[in-house]
Amino acid sequence: MPSILRDGFSFSLTVLAAVLLSACGSPQSKREAFVEKIGPPQTPLSGQARYFAGQIEAQARFTASVSPGRAHQGESMTPGGGPPPGRDRFDRGSPGPKGPRAEGEGFGTGRTRPGGGNPGLSAPRQSLGLSLTNQGPSPVRVKITEVNSILGNFVPIPETATLGPGETVTLEPMRGSLANLDALNLTLALSANGASEKQEIVLTAK
């Protein structure tokens, strides 16, 4: 075989071997490379505030997000995580110790739909969870009028709920993709019993 052909044949074999080795990389090595690229998960942040002379307690959590697909497969949700698509955690019209009545759902105009970030480009990295608890002795109908942070200006789901004494309503998680945060400022406005109140809740690592 002429030397030029032999050299060309050897070069082709080298290129083919490199391609095959690249294609046969283990799923684990690819996953590790992806994790290294995006960085570590978001450190959990949390904060709370009392509204209407302590009657309503709001608790907010900002954590690494769990994808709806993984949640649907039975994996446990991070604090503040929500149910997979098509499943509803709220017990409509049947108030009880674990089932406050949720009302008035739907997306508003000109505000961010839960999901945040660029869902078409990548899965959300973080999840903002919010729950409200009635610490008072009587039922209260509470409406969430604003949920605003660097993650976005969200329409809450549910937007309104009637809570008996000791009952808690948990909103659908609000997701987004940001660089990891050391703190998050959340503006939360509520109305109840004919009054309105707005506070800024600072979420930090505990």
Short mmCIF file of all heavy atoms in Angstrom, two decimals, residues 8-34:
data_model
loop_
_atom_site.label_atom_id
_atom_site.label_comp_id
_atom_site.label_asym_id
_atom_site.label_seq_id
_atom_site.Cartn_x
_atom_site.Cartn_y
_atom_site.Cartn_z
N GLY A 8 -3.32 8.04 5.22
CA GLY A 8 -4.70 8.49 5.21
C GLY A 8 -5.62 7.50 5.89
O GLY A 8 -6.55 7.87 6.62
N PHE A 9 -5.37 6.19 5.69
CA PHE A 9 -6.18 5.16 6.32
C PHE A 9 -6.02 5.19 7.84
O PHE A 9 -6.98 5.08 8.59
CB PHE A 9 -5.76 3.79 5.76
CG PHE A 9 -6.57 2.65 6.31
CD1 PHE A 9 -7.90 2.48 5.96
CD2 PHE A 9 -6.00 1.74 7.19
CE1 PHE A 9 -8.64 1.42 6.46
CE2 PHE A 9 -6.72 0.69 7.70
CZ PHE A 9 -8.06 0.53 7.34
N SER A 10 -4.79 5.36 8.31
CA SER A 10 -4.53 5.43 9.75
C SER A 10 -5.21 6.63 10.37
O SER A 10 -5.77 6.57 11.48
CB SER A 10 -3.01 5.50 10.00
OG SER A 10 -2.37 4.35 9.52
N PHE A 11 -5.18 7.76 9.67
CA PHE A 11 -5.83 8.98 10.18
C PHE A 11 -7.33 8.77 10.30
O PHE A 11 -7.97 9.18 11.28
CB PHE A 11 -5.51 10.15 9.24
CG PHE A 11 -6.21 11.42 9.63
CD1 PHE A 11 -5.76 12.19 10.71
CD2 PHE A 11 -7.33 11.86 8.94
CE1 PHE A 11 -6.41 13.35 11.07
CE2 PHE A 11 -7.97 13.02 9.31
CZ PHE A 11 -7.51 13.77 10.37
N SER A 12 -7.93 8.10 9.29
CA SER A 12 -9.36 7.86 9.32
C SER A 12 -9.75 6.97 10.50
O SER A 12 -10.76 7.18 11.16
CB SER A 12 -9.82 7.21 8.02
OG SER A 12 -9.58 8.07 6.92
N LEU A 13 -8.91 5.94 10.76
CA LEU A 13 -9.18 5.06 11.90
C LEU A 13 -9.10 5.82 13.22
O LEU A 13 -9.91 5.60 14.13
CB LEU A 13 -8.18 3.90 11.90
CG LEU A 13 -8.40 2.82 10.85
CD1 LEU A 13 -7.32 1.75 10.95
CD2 LEU A 13 -9.78 2.17 10.99
N THR A 14 -8.13 6.74 13.32
CA THR A 14 -7.98 7.53 14.55
C THR A 14 -9.21 8.39 14.78
O THR A 14 -9.73 8.50 15.89
CB THR A 14 -6.73 8.40 14.46
OG1 THR A 14 -5.58 7.58 14.27
CG2 THR A 14 -6.55 9.22 15.73
N VAL A 15 -9.69 9.06 13.72
CA VAL A 15 -10.87 9.91 13.83
C VAL A 15 -12.09 9.09 14.20
O VAL A 15 -12.89 9.47 15.07
CB VAL A 15 -11.12 10.67 12.51
CG1 VAL A 15 -12.46 11.39 12.55
CG2 VAL A 15 -9.99 11.66 12.25
N LEU A 16 -12.25 7.90 13.56
CA LEU A 16 -13.39 7.04 13.84
C LEU A 16 -13.37 6.58 15.30
O LEU A 16 -14.40 6.56 15.97
CB LEU A 16 -13.38 5.83 12.90
CG LEU A 16 -14.51 4.81 13.10
CD1 LEU A 16 -15.86 5.47 12.89
CD2 LEU A 16 -14.33 3.63 12.13
N ALA A 17 -12.19 6.21 15.81
CA ALA A 17 -12.08 5.76 17.20
C ALA A 17 -12.46 6.88 18.16
O ALA A 17 -13.13 6.65 19.17
CB ALA A 17 -10.66 5.28 17.48
N ALA A 18 -12.03 8.10 17.85
CA ALA A 18 -12.36 9.24 18.72
C ALA A 18 -13.86 9.48 18.74
O ALA A 18 -14.44 9.77 19.79
CB ALA A 18 -11.62 10.48 18.25
N VAL A 19 -14.50 9.37 17.58
CA VAL A 19 -15.95 9.58 17.50
C VAL A 19 -16.68 8.52 18.30
O VAL A 19 -17.63 8.80 19.04
CB VAL A 19 -16.41 9.57 16.03
CG1 VAL A 19 -17.93 9.55 15.95
CG2 VAL A 19 -15.86 10.79 15.30
N LEU A 20 -16.24 7.25 18.16
CA LEU A 20 -16.89 6.17 18.88
C LEU A 20 -16.74 6.32 20.39
O LEU A 20 -17.67 6.09 21.16
CB LEU A 20 -16.32 4.82 18.41
CG LEU A 20 -16.70 4.39 16.99
CD1 LEU A 20 -15.99 3.10 16.62
CD2 LEU A 20 -18.21 4.22 16.86
N LEU A 21 -15.54 6.71 20.83
CA LEU A 21 -15.31 6.90 22.26
C LEU A 21 -16.18 8.03 22.80
O LEU A 21 -16.72 7.95 23.91
CB LEU A 21 -13.83 7.20 22.53
CG LEU A 21 -12.88 6.01 22.39
CD1 LEU A 21 -11.44 6.48 22.54
CD2 LEU A 21 -13.20 4.94 23.44
N SER A 22 -16.31 9.08 22.01
CA SER A 22 -17.15 10.21 22.43
C SER A 22 -18.60 9.80 22.53
O SER A 22 -19.32 10.18 23.46
CB SER A 22 -16.98 11.37 21.45
OG SER A 22 -17.87 12.41 21.77
N ALA A 23 -19.07 9.01 21.55
CA ALA A 23 -20.47 8.59 21.53
C ALA A 23 -20.79 7.62 22.65
O ALA A 23 -21.93 7.51 23.09
CB ALA A 23 -20.80 7.97 20.17
N CYS A 24 -19.77 6.89 23.11
CA CYS A 24 -20.00 5.86 24.12
C CYS A 24 -19.78 6.36 25.54
O CYS A 24 -19.66 5.56 26.47
CB CYS A 24 -19.08 4.65 23.86
SG CYS A 24 -19.47 3.80 22.32
N GLY A 25 -19.65 7.66 25.72
CA GLY A 25 -19.50 8.20 27.07
C GLY A 25 -20.67 7.77 27.94
O GLY A 25 -21.81 7.75 27.50
N SER A 26 -20.40 7.42 29.18
CA SER A 26 -21.45 6.91 30.05
C SER A 26 -22.44 8.01 30.40
O SER A 26 -22.07 9.19 30.48
CB SER A 26 -20.83 6.36 31.34
OG SER A 26 -20.29 7.41 32.10
N PRO A 27 -23.71 7.63 30.62
CA PRO A 27 -24.70 8.63 31.05
C PRO A 27 -24.27 9.35 32.32
O PRO A 27 -24.55 10.52 32.50
CB PRO A 27 -25.96 7.78 31.27
CG PRO A 27 -25.78 6.58 30.40
CD PRO A 27 -24.30 6.31 30.42
N GLN A 28 -23.57 8.62 33.21
CA GLN A 28 -23.14 9.23 34.46
C GLN A 28 -22.14 10.35 34.22
O GLN A 28 -22.23 11.42 34.81
CB GLN A 28 -22.53 8.18 35.38
CG GLN A 28 -22.07 8.75 36.73
CD GLN A 28 -21.53 7.69 37.66
OE1 GLN A 28 -21.58 6.51 37.32
NE2 GLN A 28 -21.04 8.09 38.81
N SER A 29 -21.17 10.11 33.29
CA SER A 29 -20.17 11.13 33.01
C SER A 29 -20.83 12.35 32.36
O SER A 29 -20.45 13.49 32.63
CB SER A 29 -19.07 10.57 32.11
OG SER A 29 -19.60 10.19 30.85
N LYS A 30 -21.82 12.11 31.50
CA LYS A 30 -22.53 13.24 30.88
C LYS A 30 -23.32 14.02 31.92
O LYS A 30 -23.36 15.25 31.89
CB LYS A 30 -23.46 12.71 29.79
CG LYS A 30 -22.74 12.14 28.58
CD LYS A 30 -23.73 11.63 27.54
CE LYS A 30 -23.00 11.06 26.33
NZ LYS A 30 -23.93 10.54 25.32
N ARG A 31 -23.93 13.30 32.86
CA ARG A 31 -24.69 13.97 33.91
C ARG A 31 -23.78 14.79 34.80
O ARG A 31 -24.10 15.92 35.19
CB ARG A 31 -25.46 12.93 34.73
CG ARG A 31 -26.33 13.51 35.83
CD ARG A 31 -27.32 12.49 36.36
NE ARG A 31 -26.66 11.29 36.82
CZ ARG A 31 -26.75 10.11 36.21
NH1 ARG A 31 -27.46 9.99 35.10
NH2 ARG A 31 -26.13 9.05 36.70
N GLU A 32 -22.62 14.23 35.13
CA GLU A 32 -21.66 14.96 35.98
C GLU A 32 -21.16 16.21 35.28
O GLU A 32 -20.99 17.26 35.90
CB GLU A 32 -20.50 14.04 36.34
CG GLU A 32 -20.87 12.93 37.31
CD GLU A 32 -19.75 11.94 37.52
OE1 GLU A 32 -18.74 12.05 36.78
OE2 GLU A 32 -19.86 11.07 38.40
N ALA A 33 -20.95 16.11 33.95
CA ALA A 33 -20.50 17.27 33.20
C ALA A 33 -21.57 18.35 33.18
O ALA A 33 -21.29 19.55 33.29
CB ALA A 33 -20.13 16.87 31.78
N PHE A 34 -22.84 17.92 33.07
CA PHE A 34 -23.94 18.88 33.05
C PHE A 34 -24.07 19.58 34.39
O PHE A 34 -24.25 20.80 34.47
CB PHE A 34 -25.25 18.16 32.70
CG PHE A 34 -26.46 19.04 32.74
CD1 PHE A 34 -26.69 19.99 31.76
CD2 PHE A 34 -27.38 18.93 33.77
CE1 PHE A 34 -27.81 20.82 31.80
CE2 PHE A 34 -28.50 19.74 33.82
CZ PHE A 34 -28.70 20.68 32.82
#
